[in-house]
């Protein structure tokens, strides 16, 4: 088992060092190494990437800005010379945070953590189906995505409506849009993301899930028709 990796670092020397560590690891497969986020993102549109070794301070687009622009996020191991970004890094669900210079032992420990998370996620998908965790009322809740009916913007919160109940989450629509499967969920309005499997009918103005009419943006009808055709 190998994780497909990319390395993104504007320093050619650091990029070479990390790429060598990746190439020497039996459980990693280097897809490419890049000096900037634009090239890395282009690569990721055609290759499946499981893990990114990512610098933070880079010209034009920082490591954090790069992640904000990704629709789906692989595991992230930040690699930087600065300690002050550690707290922010873990807001991005980083697998690990490596400070330069990197020892082989510390690198290998990070990779083991990434492999463990990869296997755990794979096991959960196979055994229970895809799911996400949300934090609501100070509790962390496990939500199976197949049970989500729609997600609705609710002021500073997002309301997640499932077959069983609904929960308010302090989050953004963009965050949910990035975390959910693009094959099963579509944003039909600035304030609504729907599970296309739950749609009973639709017209030019609304998508209907049960008795609920969800507004459909004019420019989203064609996207919905395509999504339903392939579902």
């Amino acid at each position: 088992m190998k994780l497909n990796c990319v390395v993104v670092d504007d320093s050619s020397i650091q990029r070479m060092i990390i790429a060598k560590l990746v190439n020497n690891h039996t459980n990693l497969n280097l897809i490419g190494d890049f000096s900037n986020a634009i090239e890395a993102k282009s690569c990721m549109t055609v290759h499946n990437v499981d893990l990114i070794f990512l610098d933070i301070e880079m010209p034009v687009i920082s490591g954090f800005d790069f992640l904000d622009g990704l629709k789906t996020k692989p595991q992230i191991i930040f690699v930087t010379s600065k300690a002050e970004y550690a707290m922010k890094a873990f807001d991005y669900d980083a697998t690990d945070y490596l400070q330069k210079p990197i020892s082989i032992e510390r690198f290998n420990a990070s990779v083991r953590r990434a492999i463990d998370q990869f296997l755990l996620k794979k096991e959960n998908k196979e055994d229970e189906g895809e799911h996400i965790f949300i934090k609501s009322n100070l509790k962390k809740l496990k939500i199976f995505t197949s049970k989500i009916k729609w997600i609705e913007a609710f002021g500073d919160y997002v309301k997640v409506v499932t077959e069983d109940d609904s929960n308010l989450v302090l989050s953004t629509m963009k965050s949910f849009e990035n975390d959910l499967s693009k094959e099963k969920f579509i944003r039909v309005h600035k304030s609504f993301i729907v599970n296309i499997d739950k749609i009973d009918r639709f017209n030019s103005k609304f998508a209907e899930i049960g008795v609920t009419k969800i507004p459909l943006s004019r420019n989203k009808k064609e996207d919905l028709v395509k999504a339903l055709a392939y579902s």
Side-chain angles (χ1 to χ4, degrees):
M1 189 274 296
K2 289 192 174 186
L3 302 185
N4 289 332
C5 308
V6 295
V7 177
V8 189
D9 195 315
D10 62 309
S11 166
S12 58
I13 294 175
Q14 292 297 332
R15 198 166 64 250
M16 181 179 66
I17 290 171
I18 301 166
K20 185 176 180 180
L21 288 169
V22 172
N23 281 324
N24 288 340
H25 199 288
T26 56
N27 295 113
L28 300 179
N29 176 45
L30 183 64
I31 297 296
D33 60 274
F34 306 97
S35 61
N36 62 75
I38 296 172
E39 292 178 356
K41 188 174 182 179
S42 177
C43 168
M44 292 172 64
T45 61
V46 294
H47 293 284
N48 178 47
V49 175
D50 303 305
L51 177 62
I52 305 175
F53 292 92
L54 181 63
D55 189 17
I56 294 175
E57 289 189 341
M58 295 185 291
V60 185
I61 300 176
S62 72
F64 295 130
D65 291 338
F66 168 57
L67 294 179
D68 287 336
L70 293 181
K71 290 184 178 180
T72 56
K73 294 181 179 63
Q75 287 194 69
I76 308 297
I77 295 178
F78 285 104
V79 184
T80 177
S81 59
K82 304 292 181 66
E84 60 262 33
Y85 296 114
M87 291 300 294
K88 185 175 180 180
F90 286 98
D91 286 339
Y92 284 79
D93 294 326
T95 299
D96 209 344
Y97 189 92
L98 298 178
Q99 260 191 277
K100 303 171 184 177
I102 308 163
S103 69
I104 294 177
E105 292 77 13
R106 185 69 181 83
F107 177 85
N108 288 339
S110 280
V111 173
R112 282 196 298 272
R113 182 176 296 178
I115 291 171
D116 287 345
Q117 289 194 23
F118 178 84
L119 293 174
L120 181 61
K121 186 176 181 180
K122 184 178 179 182
E123 182 181 319
N124 286 339
K125 281 186 177 181
E126 290 174 350
D127 292 346
E128 303 176 338
E130 290 193 24
H131 60 270
I132 58 174
F133 285 96
I134 63 172
K135 192 173 183 180
S136 181
N137 293 325
L138 302 178
K139 294 180 180 179
K140 204 168 187 180
L141 305 176
K142 185 177 184 178
I143 305 292
F144 291 101
T145 57
S146 62
K147 289 191 172 186
I148 296 174
K149 296 166 73 174
W150 72 84
I151 294 165
E152 179 181 353
F154 213 80
D156 292 332
Y157 291 80
V158 169
K159 183 164 74 170
V160 181
V161 180
T162 72
E163 295 172 357
D164 305 316
D165 55 18
S166 64
N167 292 279
L168 285 177
V169 184
L170 185 60
S171 183
T172 63
M173 293 291 283
K174 182 179 178 181
S175 176
F176 273 92
E177 193 173 13
N178 289 338
D179 288 343
L180 294 169
S181 166
K182 301 298 181 293
E183 295 178 357
K184 293 297 181 183
F185 291 86
I186 181 171
R187 191 164 184 172
V188 295
H189 185 273
K190 65 179 181 179
S191 298
F192 287 91
I193 298 170
V194 298
N195 183 340
I196 61 175
D197 288 340
K198 305 299 182 185
I199 294 175
D200 297 309
R201 62 192 68 83
F202 71 95
N203 55 34
S204 60
K205 294 183 178 180
F206 299 100
E208 297 183 30
I209 299 178
V211 298
T212 303
K213 290 185 176 182
I214 294 172
L216 180 61
S217 295
R218 185 182 304 173
N219 62 340
K220 291 295 184 179
K221 182 180 177 182
E222 186 176 339
D223 292 341
L224 180 57
V225 171
K226 289 179 181 178
L228 288 167
Y230 287 104
S231 66

